[in-house]
Amino acid sequence: MGRHTMGRPLRWLRRNLVVIAGVLTLAYLIVPNAVVLVFSFNKPNGRFNYTWQRFSTDAWTDPCGVADLCGSLALSLQIALWATLGATAIGTMIAFALARYRFHARGAVNTLIFLPMAMPEVVMAASLGTLFLNMRIEFGFWTILIAHIMFCLSFVVTAVKARVLSMDPRLEQAAQDLYATPVQTFLRVTLPLAAPGIAAGALLAFALSFDDFIITNFNAGSTVTFPMFVWGSAQRGTPVQINVIGTAMFAIAVLCVLAGQLLGSSRRRSRRS
């Protein structure tokens, strides 16, 4: 009887081990965001927002109270948006070409697409910086944008290519049998099927571009993006407004994911009905 009773917790642990590991991993990832949220309501006595002093909502009521903070945030959002559009457009075309067509050096192109994901960011940052210097291009907004498109491209191609390879070609053949033109087939069949992969690549590109520091630092010149502003302010004293911006961006990302999940589940229910 005692052995049977002692064996129940072990059996329950074996059955739920994966769930427990997933919950612990999720908690480990969320704890830093929770700390950022808590310290966004702090009012430190000195310059550094590292120890809790007293509760205050001053930073939330005046998120742009620190000079150049909102300007660098707007610049990062602008660069991330344009980099996402450029990388998604170019990456989608490359993904379709690699997945649907046979051409010379196709294997080499696949390898080159994978390299930016495998190599350290500092290598690509230094390479792009050297390229811009040799071409005598002035560092600033455009060099950052080009660099971000270049390193986001690989992630978009990988996401879209995986989706294209999983698509059933018979659906497009059926549209052609029903006398649909190539444009109609692409817009009404191919593009909707590939849309989840394209959206995933675009979201990933936006997050990577907005968050990047290493490549931006090598190719920015005197231009200051939000990650560079955070790094620079950490040397002098981190303002509470940085925690406010970080919390707001995290909340927006979570809301976007939840909205996508709800939209997808509602579409699945409507198809079943």
Side-chain angles (χ1 to χ4, degrees), residues 243-265:
N243 294 64
V244 173
I245 300 299
T247 302
M249 296 300 296
F250 176 74
I252 292 172
V254 171
L255 290 176
C256 289
V257 172
L258 292 177
Q261 292 291 333
L262 292 175
L263 183 61
S265 60

Side-chain angles (χ1 to χ4, degrees), residues 133-233:
L133 281 173
N134 290 333
M135 296 180 66
R136 302 188 183 280
I137 299 176
E138 183 179 356
F139 287 104
F141 176 86
W142 292 107
T143 54
I144 298 174
L145 179 60
I146 294 171
H148 282 207
I149 291 175
M150 293 299 293
F151 83 85
C152 289
L153 199 59
S154 300
F155 296 91
V156 175
V157 172
T158 302
V160 178
K161 183 184 174 184
R163 180 63 181 177
V164 173
L165 290 173
S166 66
M167 290 164 49
D168 190 352
R170 292 176 296 182
L171 296 174
E172 295 170 284
Q173 295 170 3
Q176 294 171 2
D177 291 339
L178 294 172
Y179 303 103
T181 64
V183 175
Q184 290 174 328
T185 302
F186 178 78
L187 293 178
R188 298 186 180 184
V189 179
T190 307
L191 189 59
L193 291 174
I198 297 173
L203 291 174
L204 185 59
F206 183 88
L208 290 170
S209 176
F210 179 82
D211 185 59
D212 181 76
F213 171 77
I214 297 176
I215 293 178
T216 305
N217 191 40
F218 272 76
N219 299 277
S222 59
T223 305
V224 179
T225 61
F226 183 69
M228 295 178 65
F229 179 87
V230 173
W231 178 83
S233 63

Side-chain angles (χ1 to χ4, degrees), residues 12 16 36 53 92 102 110 138 152 162 203 206 209 262 265-266:
W12 180 88
N16 299 278
V36 171
Q53 301 295 332
T92 300
R102 297 288 184 270
N110 271 313
E138 183 179 356
C152 289
L203 291 174
F206 183 88
S209 176
L262 292 175
S265 60
S266 63

Side-chain angles (χ1 to χ4, degrees), residues 76-93:
S76 286
L77 291 172
Q78 184 181 1
I79 291 173
L81 178 61
W82 286 111
T84 300
L85 293 175
T88 303
I90 300 172
T92 300
M93 291 187 286

Side-chain angles (χ1 to χ4, degrees), residues 106-125:
R106 181 169 174 266
V109 173
N110 271 313
T111 303
L112 291 173
I113 289 295
F114 178 74
L115 278 179
M117 300 172 61
M119 72 172 62
E121 279 193 42
V122 67
V123 176
M124 188 173 186

Side-chain angles (χ1 to χ4, degrees), residues 20-54:
I20 295 172
V23 171
L24 291 176
T25 303
L26 186 62
Y28 178 77
L29 294 173
I30 290 180
V31 164
N33 296 285
V35 173
V36 171
L37 170 62
V38 170
F39 276 83
S40 67
F41 293 98
N42 186 29
K43 189 170 184 179
N45 293 328
R47 296 179 300 169
F48 296 95
N49 185 27
Y50 298 149
T51 57
W52 180 264
Q53 301 295 332
R54 58 189 182 276

Side-chain angles (χ1 to χ4, degrees), residues 54-88:
R54 58 189 182 276
F55 180 85
S56 174
T57 58
D58 293 345
W60 282 93
T61 56
D62 188 19
C64 295
V66 179
D68 298 329
L69 188 150
C70 284
S72 63
L73 176 64
L75 179 63
S76 286
L77 291 172
Q78 184 181 1
I79 291 173
L81 178 61
W82 286 111
T84 300
L85 293 175
T88 303

